[in-house]
Amino acid sequence: PGKIISKVVEFARKTKKLGQDDPRRIIHSLKVGLAITLVSMFYYFEPLYDGFGVSAMWAVLTVVVVFEFSVGATLSKGFNRGLATFLAGTLGFGAHHLAILSGEKAEPILLGLFVFLLAAMMTFVRFFPRMKAKYDYGVLVFILTFCLISVSGYRDDEVLEMAHKRVSTILLGGFAALLVCIVICPVWAGNDLHNLVANNIEQLASFLEGFGPEYFNTSEDVESNNTLLEGYKSVLHSKQTEESLANFARWEPCHGQFRFGHPWKHYLKIGSLTRKCAYRIEALHGYLNTKNQTSQEIRSKIQDESIKVSSESVKALKELAMAIETMITPSAATLHITKSKIAAKNLKLMLNADLCKETDLLEVIPAVTMASLLVDVVSCSEKIAESV
Amino acid sequence: PGKIISKVVEFARKTKKLGQDDPRRIIHSLKVGLAITLVSMFYYFEPLYDGFGVSAMWAVLTVVVVFEFSVGATLSKGFNRGLATFLAGTLGFGAHHLAILSGEKAEPILLGLFVFLLAAMMTFVRFFPRMKAKYDYGVLVFILTFCLISVSGYRDDEVLEMAHKRVSTILLGGFAALLVCIVICPVWAGNDLHNLVANNIEQLASFLEGFGPEYFNTSEDVESNNTLLEGYKSVLHSKQTEESLANFARWEPCHGQFRFGHPWKHYLKIGSLTRKCAYRIEALHGYLNTKNQTSQEIRSKIQDESIKVSSESVKALKELAMAIETMITPSAATLHITKSKIAAKNLKLMLNADLCKETDLLEVIPAVTMASLLVDVVSCSEKIAESV
């Protein structure tokens, strides 16, 4: 029993953390509950129920399936579902009509053939990368509706009426979901993408901020430094998140500081440059573990210049992140990058002058590599700066 | 019209390429068509139709939604759907019964409350990362079924019979999907994961193979070399694919050379080490563009040793990829790694002896960095070797 209690406590702790990390999650859950309850209530209004009958269930189904976390995702799913249902309904009705014309015996064979061909073709279409990214759900609904309409029609000649009812309930469900999603505390995918990209650049800055003290053993607060140093890791794997957010953001109407048709693709470009920089930083991170191969003496020689390089980069990156966040052209970023480039040049010169003559090069190599990775990071930041 | 024709041709070319890249895609499309047609045919058998009625549509719906590319994904989705439908059906029936007991007036209020609470709670549960990875679809179906059963029951007191019919048609559809998926040319997620991990290591090897000739300008066939050099980029973003494949693979029964309970998690470990190595290689790739900052003379000095380092690493990595593919403990890999470590040491010594004295260190730095990244790659491969 003690084990069960500890598990329950653990679960409660996790739940609380999830809610605290992003309170929008709690609001989202309540919104979904509200939308579903609203639509379910259709069953209780006699006039509405008499109009739709069992079809009312499609409204509930649509809300459950279409309601997503961000407005863009909900819009894109709702649009996919609506359009696909309409197209497939029309086509399904056509196929059904054609099959009936061909006579009693040929009907099931013809319909079977239609269903087979369409399902196979549409399944193949889902493999196209561009279709997969944008219309995967629509194609699925298309197959589904086509099969349901064309086949069920065999029994029931009121296909047209059924299709009409189904389309209208689905539209109703879709609108209910959208309304609740947009009106009550909307979550904008575009806003999330915007913050993610800015935040990723900031993560790189915090790594560089923590790197200097860690490498040269001047840091005191080891604990807090470690969190600074690990933050960049999420940047490495942010590609898919960014792409799906950009996909959803294209669907959103203007909101806050973003107009419709905001250049979302540009964020992907900045994001991929940020990732490139993060890969260099990952390589740099490796040198934290092997730092003791280089003697303290050598390290202290390059300390000042290295820290200058990284601190100027930090300033530049922070400036860039800020610029993205506020959407104001960065003014001081270029200055900081020029400064860090000068510092990098000084670092190189010093390596050349000081170290080569007196000490064993073998010992210096890791330091040199570290320094030139740092310089790489600087040139990566320069590219990010250009594209902001 | 000329534009339309060229678009059609372009589309046909893409379609052909998709099919050629992986012929299993075509087979998969045909399989889906077959399964749906099979299930649709239920409508045409009088005895079966009389048994299920309109519920037969749930079988079609299940096949369309559950049928996935790999056996593991289909199994996991089918299991999710089946279990969630059963649980939600039971709970929904309970809620409905409770509401009826509470009297005519309180019934809709109570049901609305139940639906709201359950939908909100379950939506929140979907945010747990572990739930999201494994049971996201199941939770969605759970919400859906609970709402449909508990609410529709307000009109129809034969809820139990309806629930029974729905569960059995869903089971039927699920079995049909599984049968077609497993019997006809099955695609195993485990097999795919196995090949992906081995292939990723090979991609790294091909990069290193192409890197030497490219950096030292000794390559002749630029075209084919470029494809060698770009291959590793897919490794950088393979994390999500690997994780979902591993998730699906856990569901699969024994097949081919894999037993049930094969250590799929181990592949993720190897995969993440491979990615770490790929990050170093990405940094190394940057030096191909700046190679002309180092004079030809210096480069030719370190040419032999560098190529030795990389070619031994290539051999080791290829050996490892082969070992994963054939599941035989690698015999020669450790030997090659030892050799490449020796070569790396020689390279370092040579850098120390030769270059420092005669030339300007400033010019050498990129070469040194290149070399030590190469050494990093070697130590990464060593870690991969240990974990295979």
Side-chain angles (χ1 to χ4, degrees):
Chain A
K3 213 177 168 186
I4 294 173
I5 290 174
S6 75
K7 275 212 169 173
V8 170
V9 171
E10 173 73 14
F11 177 76
R13 208 185 49 74
K14 269 190 190 164
T15 312
K16 203 180 153 202
K17 191 170 174 296
L18 264 182
Q20 273 176 339
D21 279 358
D22 195 346
R24 296 179 304 172
R25 286 172 178 155
I26 299 171
I27 297 171
H28 171 71
S29 305
L30 296 178
K31 275 159 72 183
V32 173
L34 182 69
I36 295 177
T37 314
L38 267 180
V39 171
S40 300
M41 286 303 133
F42 283 144
Y43 280 92
Y44 298 93
F45 294 112
E46 294 287 341
L48 266 174
Y49 185 78
D50 290 346
F52 292 128
V54 199
S55 287
M57 111 186 166
W58 287 98
V60 178
L61 206 146
T62 304
V63 172
V64 174
V65 175
V66 160
F67 211 117
E68 291 275 332
F69 190 58
S70 67
V71 176
T74 310
L75 267 170
S76 126
K77 263 200 155 174
F79 173 81
N80 263 303
R81 188 172 183 100
L83 190 71
T85 308
F86 180 74
L87 284 180
T90 320
L91 210 66
F93 180 72
H96 178 244
H97 196 70
L98 214 72
I100 282 186
L101 282 181
S102 70
E104 188 94 3
K105 280 220 169 140
E107 202 183 313
I109 300 169
L110 212 61
L111 274 182
L113 197 72
F114 282 152
V115 168
F116 177 78
L117 281 180
L118 196 113
M121 264 166 47
M122 283 298 148
T123 309
F124 190 75
V125 163
R126 290 177 74 193
F127 285 114
F128 285 93
R130 280 185 63 184
M131 288 302 275
K132 185 140 198 95
K134 287 181 191 162
Y135 305 110
D136 194 49
Y137 182 67
V139 176
L140 193 75
V141 171
F142 185 87
I143 301 175
L144 187 65
T145 312
F146 180 82
C147 295
L148 289 184
I149 295 266
S150 67
V151 171
S152 76
Y154 185 64
R155 295 284 155 188
D156 188 357
D157 275 338
E158 298 161 315
V159 192
L160 205 59
E161 207 202 316
M162 191 186 75
H164 170 75
K165 267 187 191 168
R166 201 165 287 179
V167 169
S168 47
T169 40
I170 285 179
L171 283 181
L172 205 87
F175 275 123
L178 264 181
L179 203 75
V180 174
C181 189
I182 295 184
V183 171
I184 307 172
C185 306
V187 174
W188 302 102
N191 214 4
D192 276 11
L193 176 63
H194 184 84
N195 293 337
L196 179 69
V197 170
N199 186 43
N200 277 349
I201 295 183
E202 241 178 64
Q203 293 287 5
L204 300 190
S206 6
F207 173 82
L208 286 179
E209 212 169 19
F211 178 75
E214 181 72 22
Y215 190 81
F216 299 109
N217 283 342
T218 56
S219 85
E220 283 140 26
D221 189 358
V222 178
E223 195 76 353
S224 80
N225 216 14
N226 269 344
T227 57
L228 276 186
L229 289 174
E230 297 294 326
Y232 78 96
K233 291 213 166 151
S234 66
V235 182
L236 296 173
H237 307 300
S238 59
K239 187 176 192 243
Q240 259 125 331
T241 322
E242 278 173 17
E243 273 172 5
S244 68
L245 281 179
N247 243 337
F248 296 145
R250 291 186 321 120
W251 287 95
E252 291 176 346
C254 61
H255 56 277
Q257 41 190 340
F258 309 102
R259 278 162 299 114
F260 184 74
H262 193 74
W264 300 115
K265 277 198 175 165
H266 201 68
Y267 284 96
L268 294 184
K269 222 171 103 193
I270 299 175
S272 88
L273 286 173
T274 311
R275 258 192 310 286
K276 254 202 173 146
C277 192
Y279 295 145
R280 304 290 184 283
I281 280 182
E282 160 78 22
L284 205 53
H285 187 250
Y287 282 92
L288 282 182
N289 304 324
T290 56
K291 62 179 174 183
N292 291 327
Q293 285 175 17
T294 317
S295 70
Q296 184 73 41
E297 185 200 358
I298 295 173
R299 272 188 281 154
S300 67
K301 269 187 191 158
I302 54 172
Q303 176 170 344
D304 284 349
E305 286 299 323
S306 299
I307 284 188
K308 209 170 181 184
V309 173
S310 65
S311 76
E312 288 296 332
S313 306
V314 167
K315 276 181 204 154
L317 285 171
K318 283 203 168 157
E319 183 84 15
L320 290 174
M322 190 61 118
I324 291 177
E325 229 163 285
T326 56
M327 298 215 269
I328 294 167
T329 320
S331 49
T334 356
L335 181 70
H336 287 303
I337 284 183
T338 320
K339 270 193 196 166
S340 68
K341 274 168 97 178
I342 292 172
K345 214 172 193 177
N346 284 340
L347 178 60
K348 274 186 186 171
L349 281 173
M350 209 178 59
L351 283 174
N352 197 19
D354 266 23
L355 298 176
C356 192
K357 283 156 210 161
E358 345 180 337
T359 51
D360 185 16
L361 188 63
L362 210 55
E363 244 182 281
V364 194
I365 288 175
V368 174
T369 315
M370 188 279 290
S372 43
L373 280 172
L374 216 53
V375 176
D376 274 7
V377 169
V378 173
S379 70
C380 280
S381 345
E382 195 182 5
K383 272 183 199 145
I384 297 176
E386 276 163 14
S387 69
V388 165
Chain B
K3 212 175 168 189
I4 296 172
I5 291 174
S6 75
K7 275 213 170 172
V8 170
V9 170
E10 173 72 15
F11 178 76
R13 206 184 51 72
K14 269 190 192 163
T15 312
K16 203 179 152 201
K17 191 169 173 300
L18 266 181
Q20 273 176 338
D21 279 357
D22 195 346
R24 295 179 305 174
R25 286 172 179 156
I26 300 171
I27 297 171
H28 171 71
S29 304
L30 295 177
K31 274 160 72 183
V32 173
L34 183 69
I36 294 177
T37 314
L38 267 180
V39 171
S40 299
M41 287 302 133
F42 283 144
Y43 280 93
Y44 299 93
F45 294 111
E46 294 287 341
L48 266 174
Y49 186 77
D50 290 345
F52 291 129
V54 200
S55 287
M57 110 186 168
W58 287 98
V60 178
L61 207 146
T62 305
V63 172
V64 174
V65 175
V66 160
F67 209 119
E68 291 275 333
F69 191 58
S70 67
V71 175
T74 310
L75 267 169
S76 125
K77 262 200 155 175
F79 174 81
N80 263 301
R81 189 175 183 96
L83 190 70
T85 307
F86 179 75
L87 284 180
T90 321
L91 211 66
F93 180 72
H96 178 245
H97 195 69
L98 215 72
I100 282 185
L101 282 180
S102 69
E104 187 97 2
K105 279 220 169 139
E107 202 183 313
I109 300 168
L110 212 62
L111 274 182
L113 197 72
F114 282 154
V115 167
F116 177 78
L117 282 180
L118 196 114
M121 263 165 49
M122 282 297 147
T123 308
F124 190 76
V125 163
R126 290 177 74 192
F127 284 113
F128 285 93
R130 280 184 64 184
M131 287 302 274
K132 185 140 198 95
K134 286 179 193 164
Y135 305 109
D136 193 50
Y137 182 68
V139 176
L140 193 75
V141 171
F142 185 86
I143 300 175
L144 187 66
T145 312
F146 180 81
C147 295
L148 289 184
I149 295 265
S150 66
V151 171
S152 76
Y154 185 65
R155 295 283 157 189
D156 187 356
D157 275 337
E158 298 162 315
V159 192
L160 204 59
E161 207 202 315
M162 192 186 75
H164 170 74
K165 267 187 190 169
R166 202 165 285 179
V167 169
S168 48
T169 42
I170 284 178
L171 283 182
L172 204 87
F175 276 123
L178 264 181
L179 202 76
V180 174
C181 189
I182 295 184
V183 171
I184 306 173
C185 306
V187 174
W188 302 102
N191 214 3
D192 277 11
L193 176 63
H194 184 83
N195 291 337
L196 179 68
V197 170
N199 186 43
N200 277 350
I201 295 182
E202 240 179 65
Q203 293 286 5
L204 300 190
S206 351
F207 172 84
L208 287 179
E209 211 170 20
F211 178 75
E214 181 73 21
Y215 190 81
F216 300 109
N217 282 342
T218 56
S219 86
E220 285 140 25
D221 190 357
V222 179
E223 195 76 353
S224 79
N225 215 15
N226 268 345
T227 57
L228 277 185
L229 289 174
E230 297 295 325
Y232 78 96
K233 292 213 164 151
S234 67
V235 182
L236 296 174
H237 308 298
S238 59
K239 186 175 192 245
Q240 258 125 333
T241 322
E242 277 172 18
E243 274 171 5
S244 68
L245 281 179
N247 243 337
F248 296 145
R250 291 185 319 121
W251 288 95
E252 291 176 348
C254 61
H255 57 277
Q257 40 191 340
F258 309 103
R259 277 162 301 114
F260 184 75
H262 193 75
W264 299 116
K265 277 199 176 165
H266 200 68
Y267 284 95
L268 294 184
K269 221 170 102 192
I270 299 176
S272 87
L273 286 174
T274 312
R275 257 192 311 286
K276 254 203 173 144
C277 192
Y279 297 144
R280 305 290 185 281
I281 280 184
E282 161 78 21
L284 206 53
H285 187 252
Y287 282 93
L288 281 182
N289 304 324
T290 56
K291 63 178 174 183
N292 291 325
Q293 286 176 16
T294 317
S295 70
Q296 184 71 44
E297 186 200 359
I298 296 173
R299 272 188 281 153
S300 67
K301 270 187 191 158
I302 55 171
Q303 176 169 346
D304 283 349
E305 286 301 323
S306 299
I307 284 186
K308 209 169 179 184
V309 173
S310 66
S311 76
E312 288 297 331
S313 306
V314 167
K315 276 181 203 155
L317 285 171
K318 283 204 167 157
E319 184 84 15
L320 290 174
M322 189 63 119
I324 291 177
E325 231 163 285
T326 56
M327 298 215 270
I328 294 166
T329 320
S331 51
T334 355
L335 182 69
H336 288 303
I337 284 184
T338 321
K339 271 193 194 165
S340 68
K341 275 168 98 179
I342 293 172
K345 214 171 192 177
N346 284 338
L347 178 61
K348 275 187 187 170
L349 281 175
M350 210 180 58
L351 283 174
N352 196 18
D354 267 22
L355 297 176
C356 192
K357 284 155 208 160
E358 347 182 336
T359 51
D360 185 17
L361 188 63
L362 211 55
E363 245 181 283
V364 194
I365 288 174
V368 174
T369 315
M370 188 279 290
S372 44
L373 280 171
L374 217 52
V375 176
D376 274 6
V377 169
V378 172
S379 71
C380 279
S381 345
E382 194 181 5
K383 273 184 199 145
I384 298 175
E386 275 163 15
S387 68
V388 166

